[in-house]
Amino acid sequence: MVNVDVVSLGRLDYQQALSIQEGQAAKLLAGETEDQVVYTVEHPPTITVGKNGTRDHIVAPEATLDELGFAVYDVDRGGDVTYHGPGQLVLYPVLHLGPWNNDVSRYVRMLEQVVINALKHVDVESRRLDGYPGVWVGNAKVCAIGARVKKRKNGEFVTSHGLALNVTTDLSHFQTIVPCGIVDKGVTSVRELLTTEEVSLFEWEHRLLDSFADVFQVSLNEKR
């Protein structure tokens, strides 16, 4: 069984978290380590624009973003415009994909399955939606997925970025953007879906990691 280290970064600025995961990915790409690592993090209000995105999908005026304390970054993951913020649980798996047949499409499906299985444990039926990466409940996205892969000299892919699950997220913050450039669908959160239950980001961090271990068939070693 593959061993994966889990590093909880707590609440951390997006650029700082990006630097940490990129540093680990660089070591994997250079062959300086074989460690498999998953970072968990919660960001302050942040908008990221992926390689396939456009800042035209940021619809709030700059003055409004400043007032709300938003940071905006262009990033090298796939996808369009995404929001990160308090109450959203982000997983950044920095993995080399040899143990999973070096299959990037399979990797993305596995990330989606991690969330689908975790939600199923609380009787929420979620799904994939053809042509729209992520995890959906009805026509509302509860989890965004944006992976980035680079290739080692031996042809093995190394991953970065990952998934962002809305747990107790302030959904009004999504009104500042056209999420992922999709105009005809909504967003939701675990708290909105579980209206009769108390929802905790800490609890969902462990729930999601348990699901990750099951789907990826790995042993997790938490490093706090």
Side-chain angles (χ1 to χ4, degrees), residues 40-90:
T40 66
V41 67
E42 179 189 21
H43 294 304
T46 305
I47 292 171
T48 63
V49 185
K51 294 185 301 177
N52 303 320
T54 170
R55 289 198 175 212
D56 291 343
H57 288 155
I58 302 174
V59 296
E62 188 172 337
T64 300
L65 297 179
D66 289 342
E67 183 179 339
L68 292 170
F70 278 44
V72 181
Y73 299 109
D74 295 294
V75 297
D76 69 348
R77 60 160 173 77
D80 202 311
V81 174
T82 297
Y83 167 76
H84 296 302
Q88 185 188 74
L89 178 60
V90 182

Side-chain angles (χ1 to χ4, degrees), residues 4 9 11 24 90 97 105 108 135 141 149-150 153 160 165-166 170 182 184 192:
V4 174
L9 300 176
R11 184 177 291 192
Q24 177 64 20
V90 182
L97 289 183
S105 294
V108 173
V135 178
K141 182 181 282 189
V149 296
K150 295 183 179 179
K153 290 182 180 179
S160 58
L165 175 66
N166 297 326
D170 183 346
I182 303 168
D184 61 344
E192 187 171 76

